Amino acid sequence: MDFKEQIDINRLPEHIAIIMDGNGRWAKNQGKFRVFGHESGVLSVKDIVEGCVEIGIKYLTVYAFSTENWNRPVEEVNALMELLISTINQEAETLNKNNIRLNAIGDLGSLPKKCIEDLDNAMQKTKENTKCTLTLALSYSAKWEIVEAAKKIAKQVEQKEINIDQIDEHLFASKLTTSNIPDPELMIRTSGEHRVSNFLLWQMAYTELYFTETLWPDFRRDHLFEAIVDYQKRERRFGKISEQLN
Ligand code: FPP
């Protein structure tokens, strides 16, 4: 039986987050430049978006560029930005036709101007779509996001709009860049690395983590379905004991 057939569609994760890792190694294994791995990685993104829509996943978030990625060689950063711009422009219409909303989180103001403009246009064009929300984490780091949220709250306190006792988890979450999307139930990281690398640290408090050796450019929807089957075998207790769950 293939993995898709094993999925219980009544117990799907609503939101899947992915750390797409291994593009560089995939390219190097073939004697190619790293950027070839990133280009091939875009094909995986497309297949995974289609796979999510095929089975009914409502939210998909992919870590496309971290704050720390700015420290890569300038040629690679530039190539990634170019790839981002070309992919957004090539795919915006297809996303729209398929009722997919494009969203972005991160320090978007630090991206090149053309990237910000094209991203804004694509998000604007797809903002009414309801089938699936594809969120690109761009120039994103969870520590940055948490500090920004803390600053927003401090400002509200300073301006006496709220008092300190009103600060709770709900208020804090509402100041994060993910305030309009639910927390992920499942996080997948490819390429055999077992880290969360500053990704959605607040939002992943109770997320199930799934690690696979598959390099991102080789990752296809059947790998996604395999991860979902694995997720559905797990017991999510949220601090309770097994007997309390039913
Ligand atoms: C990690 O592999 C991958 C990235 C830092 C970039 C991911 C970008 C893409 C898949 C393309 C753009 C995506 C969109 C949504 C347009 P790595 O370079 O760290 O690989 P390595 O660990 O093998 O060196």
Side-chain angles (χ1 to χ4, degrees):
M1 191 159 59
D2 69 17
F3 291 112
K4 188 182 167 192
E5 284 174 42
Q6 294 177 50
I7 294 175
D8 175 354
I9 54 145
N10 298 311
R11 292 193 304 117
L12 285 175
E14 190 180 16
H15 181 184
I16 298 178
I18 305 185
I19 300 180
M20 310 180 287
D21 199 8
N23 295 350
R25 276 164 283 167
W26 185 87
K28 205 173 162 197
N29 290 345
Q30 302 177 50
K32 303 260 176 60
F33 291 115
R34 293 176 57 82
V35 65
F36 181 65
H38 297 314
E39 285 164 3
S40 303
V42 173
L43 302 178
S44 301
V45 176
K46 286 192 210 169
D47 198 63
I48 295 312
V49 173
E50 285 172 22
C52 283
V53 170
E54 183 180 321
I55 60 167
I57 301 295
K58 298 294 289 179
Y59 297 89
L60 172 69
T61 299
V62 293
Y63 206 0
F65 194 86
S66 71
T67 310
E68 291 78 13
N69 287 152
W70 289 115
N71 298 322
R72 291 195 174 193
V74 67
E75 300 77 28
E76 183 167 343
V77 171
N78 290 343
L80 274 166
M81 291 301 144
E82 290 294 325
L83 188 60
L84 191 62
I85 293 169
S86 62
T87 306
I88 290 166
N89 289 325
Q90 274 163 30
E91 300 303 324
E93 191 47 44
T94 312
L95 291 173
N96 203 26
K97 276 197 189 124
N98 288 284
N99 198 11
I100 298 166
R101 176 167 74 105
L102 184 68
N103 181 38
I105 56 171
D107 185 9
L108 305 180
S110 66
L111 297 170
K113 193 163 167 277
K114 171 99 176 99
C115 188
I116 300 173
E117 283 169 5
D118 293 357
L119 186 61
D120 273 348
N121 286 339
M123 290 196 293
Q124 199 58 28
K125 188 176 189 160
T126 60
K127 71 171 191 232
E128 306 293 345
N129 295 343
T130 55
K131 192 159 204 160
C132 179
T133 296
L134 168 64
T135 300
L136 305 181
L138 294 168
S139 194
Y140 175 87
S141 112
K143 286 190 176 178
W144 164 83
E145 175 184 43
I146 290 168
V147 169
E148 288 304 305
K151 282 192 209 163
K152 285 180 202 161
I153 294 171
K155 201 166 201 167
Q156 281 192 294
V157 173
E158 188 181 61
Q159 292 174 349
K160 304 209 183 322
E161 288 166 17
I162 56 169
N163 62 53
I164 287 176
D165 294 336
Q166 284 172 280
I167 303 172
D168 58 9
E169 285 184 20
H170 182 75
L171 180 87
F172 203 92
S174 76
K175 306 297 179 195
L176 297 170
T177 57
T178 50
S179 61
N180 58 348
I181 52 180
D183 290 345
E185 294 96 332
L186 173 63
M187 192 283 286
I188 299 169
R189 183 174 188 148
T190 57
S191 90
E193 305 291 353
H194 295 191
R195 287 188 291 278
V196 291
S197 298
N198 217 347
F199 188 42
L200 302 176
L201 296 182
W202 172 281
Q203 299 84 343
M204 290 210 289
Y206 269 103
T207 300
E208 296 295 329
L209 308 181
Y210 178 89
F211 299 102
T212 169
E213 294 291 322
T214 306
L215 302 176
W216 179 250
D218 288 328
F219 196 85
R220 288 293 179 273
R221 71 187 81 179
D222 207 39
H223 297 98
L224 173 78
F225 298 156
E226 183 177 13
I228 295 171
V229 169
D230 184 275
Y231 160 83
Q232 290 187 332
K233 286 184 187 148
R234 302 185 190 185
E235 184 179 68
R236 304 189 74 213
R237 292 192 292 278
F238 301 100
K240 294 182 180 172
I241 63 166
S242 245
E243 289 71 15
Q244 289 177 297
L245 296 178
N246 298 319

